[in-house]
């Protein structure tokens, strides 16, 4: 039985990069927040500043195992997001996506709670259409080194829609495109943090391939606003909905934008492209604009400035 007016919000993966920003936003909005994490790729440092808040609770738990708590809303973010992390224990990655989704959907069903899935642009694989619309079914290798993540996330989406059809669970599925900001892991191989850390240390900047492959980069605050709007949307709005920044940059352009702000002598060095690395990525955000009245507000230079400031402090430079 619910006895407080505060919404009880569960954030799985709450000690990770995006999860920690979401926990912070949920507390600022006056909610009672339960952060669940097994610290596979997240850290207590990301949420240490929230620990004194009486409406914040941290639970060490692996979502591959059932969880019995009373909650009103669930944001399911638990899953390592960077290739370095998700490929270091690929079986655990698939388990986290699939068993984690089943357990959290079961919890949502029992609580009659709304549940949002942090899905990914990786469900589109190496896309043959550009930009990617939600109606595109994707081009994914089932047996490659990225498959544990891509197929795990695809199966999780299937589970979300079957729980909707079979049990009328109130689901929300967002497909996140590359997002960056403070509290990214400094050396987990994600391109924005990689380039910034290398530039700040005065090291050469490593570009995989010839640097002409493109990505779009969304600043974390914009993304979290998209999550909140999605959760607040009408029951009929289930997604999947792309959340990302449609600005598209080559790896060389990104490196140059970072070097312009950091300065220094770093040179660009080129290494072979990893297996199955997508050549192009850009979200079509028509649905997010239409259903959520959402679009990103922070451009790449402004977002990089904040992120560089964070890493300067983090590396004590
Ligand atoms: N950051 C991005 O650009 C991006 C893009 C697409 C999708 N996503 C999705 O958003 C979510 C958050 O990503 P992130 O960038 O914050 O990654 P992250 O690795 O920083 O955070 C993931 C968190 O989940 C936790 N976790 C992993 N396995 C778990 C398990 N079995 N049980 C409990 N906790 C577990 C980790 O310890 C970590 O704190 C992920 O689901 C990811 O797939 C992120």
């Amino acid at each position: 039985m619910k006895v407080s007016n505060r919404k009880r919000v569960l954030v799985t993966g709450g000690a990770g990069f995006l999860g920690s920003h979401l926990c912070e936003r949920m507390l600022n909005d006056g909610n009672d927040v339960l952060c669940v994490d097994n610290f596979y790729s997240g850290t207590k440092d990301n949420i240490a500043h929230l620990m004194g808040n009486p409406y914040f609770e941290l639970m060490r738990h692996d979502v591959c195992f059932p969880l019995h708590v009373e909650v009103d809303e669930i944001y399911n973010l638990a899953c390592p997001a960077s290739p370095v992390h998700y490929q270091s224990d690929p079986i655990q990655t698939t388990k986290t996506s699939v068993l984690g989704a089943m357990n959290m959907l079961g919890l949502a069903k029992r609580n009659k709670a709304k549940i949002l899935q942090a899905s990914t642009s990786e469900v589109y694989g190496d896309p043959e259409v550009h930009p990617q619309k939600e109606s595109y079914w994707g081009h994914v290798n089932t047996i490659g080194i990225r498959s544990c993540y891509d197929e795990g996330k695809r199966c999780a989406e299937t589970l979300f829609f079957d729980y909707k059809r079979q049990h009328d669970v109130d689901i929300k599925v967002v497909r996140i495109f590359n997002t960056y900001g403070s509290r990214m892991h400094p050396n987990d191989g994600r391109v924005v943090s990689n380039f910034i850390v290398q530039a700040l240390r005065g090291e050469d900047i490593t570009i995989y391939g010839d640097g002409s492959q493109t990505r779009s980069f969304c600043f974390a605050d914009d993304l979290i606003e998209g999550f909140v709007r999605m959760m607040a949307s009408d029951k009929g709005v289930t997604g999947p909905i792309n959340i990302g920044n449609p600005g598209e940059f080559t790896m060389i352009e990104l490196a140059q934008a970072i070097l312009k702000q950091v300065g220094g002598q770093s040179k660009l060095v080129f290494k072979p492209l990893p297996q199955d690395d997508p050549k192009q990525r850009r979200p079509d955000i028509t649905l997010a604009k239409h259903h959520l009245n959402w679009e990103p507000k922070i451009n790449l230079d402004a977002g990089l400035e904040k992120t560089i400031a964070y890493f300067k402090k983090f590396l004590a430079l």
Side-chain angles (χ1 to χ4, degrees), residues 34 51 73 106 146 148 180:
L34 172 59
M51 298 292 241
E73 289 180 354
R146 300 174 77 101
C148 58
Y180 69 100

Side-chain angles (χ1 to χ4, degrees), residues 34-47:
L34 172 59
C35 165
V36 162
D37 208 295
N38 70 348
F39 302 111
Y40 178 84
S41 54
T43 144
K44 279 189 188 161
D45 292 335
N46 286 340
I47 43 165

Side-chain angles (χ1 to χ4, degrees), residues 31-293:
N31 300 301
D32 187 342
V33 177
L34 172 59
C35 165
V36 162
D37 208 295
N38 70 348
F39 302 111
Y40 178 84
S41 54
T43 144
K44 279 189 188 161
D45 292 335
N46 286 340
I47 43 165
H49 62 298
L50 308 177
M51 298 292 241
N53 188 321
Y55 295 103
F56 180 75
E57 197 181 343
L58 172 64
M59 182 191 285
R60 184 189 290 263
H61 174 79
D62 183 331
V63 294
C64 297
F65 299 93
L67 178 67
H68 293 278
V69 289
E70 307 304 313
V71 288
D72 304 305
E73 289 180 354
I74 303 167
Y75 289 86
N76 189 35
L77 274 64
C79 185
S82 86
V84 170
H85 286 143
Y86 73 64
Q87 287 168 7
S88 79
D89 189 350
I91 296 170
Q92 171 68 13
T93 300
T94 304
K95 279 184 173 172
T96 294
S97 275
V98 177
L99 299 178
M102 288 173 92
N103 288 324
M104 291 310 112
L105 284 160
L107 181 66
K109 180 182 161 211
R110 187 177 67 76
N111 276 286
K112 294 192 177 19
K114 278 199 258 189
I115 180 165
L116 179 144
Q117 168 68 355
S119 191
T120 169
S121 56
E122 299 290 334
V123 300
Y124 300 122
D126 189 0
E128 293 153 310
V129 301
H130 197 71
Q132 291 80 52
K133 278 189 194 316
E134 293 82 347
S135 53
Y136 177 53
W137 288 358
H139 179 228
V140 180
N141 178 0
T142 58
I143 57 169
I145 56 172
R146 300 174 77 101
S147 311
C148 58
Y149 182 74
D150 301 6
E151 295 291 8
K153 288 285 188 178
R154 286 168 68 94
C155 183
E157 286 198 6
T158 307
L159 283 162
F160 267 69
F161 280 84
D162 282 333
Y163 266 79
K164 163 89 186 155
R165 284 185 282 260
Q166 223 171 312
H167 299 299
D168 196 31
V169 171
D170 195 350
I171 61 156
K172 310 279 174 196
V173 176
V174 290
R175 290 182 178 156
I176 305 166
F177 283 66
N178 273 13
T179 302
Y180 69 100
S182 58
R183 305 195 202 115
M184 292 182 90
H185 202 278
N187 42 18
D188 68 0
R190 286 196 257 188
V191 64
V192 176
S193 43
N194 243 28
F195 284 6
I196 291 178
V197 169
Q198 288 175 328
L200 285 172
R201 288 184 172 147
E203 296 165 1
D204 290 343
I205 297 203
T206 319
I207 295 186
Y208 294 97
D210 64 4
S212 65
Q213 71 273 35
T214 64
R215 294 290 185 277
S216 57
F217 303 102
C218 185
F219 189 60
D221 293 2
D222 276 335
L223 182 98
I224 299 298
E225 180 61 32
F227 275 9
V228 172
R229 289 185 188 212
M230 183 66 175
M231 190 59 107
S233 64
D234 294 340
K235 190 168 177 185
V237 181
T238 57
I241 290 187
N242 290 337
I243 303 278
N245 192 321
E248 190 180 355
F249 299 88
T250 65
M251 295 304 101
I252 292 182
E253 286 167 339
L254 174 69
Q256 286 166 342
I258 290 169
L259 283 176
K260 202 169 110 204
Q261 292 199 29
V262 173
Q265 303 299 317
S266 303
K267 290 191 298 293
L268 308 187
V269 294
F270 295 85
K271 290 203 173 158
L273 206 59
Q275 186 194 339
D276 293 340
D277 200 55
K279 287 175 268 314
Q280 270 189 321
R281 270 292 164 65
R282 175 154 65 96
D284 179 317
I285 58 165
T286 310
L287 285 185
K289 282 184 183 161
H290 176 73
H291 290 295
L292 312 178
N293 191 23

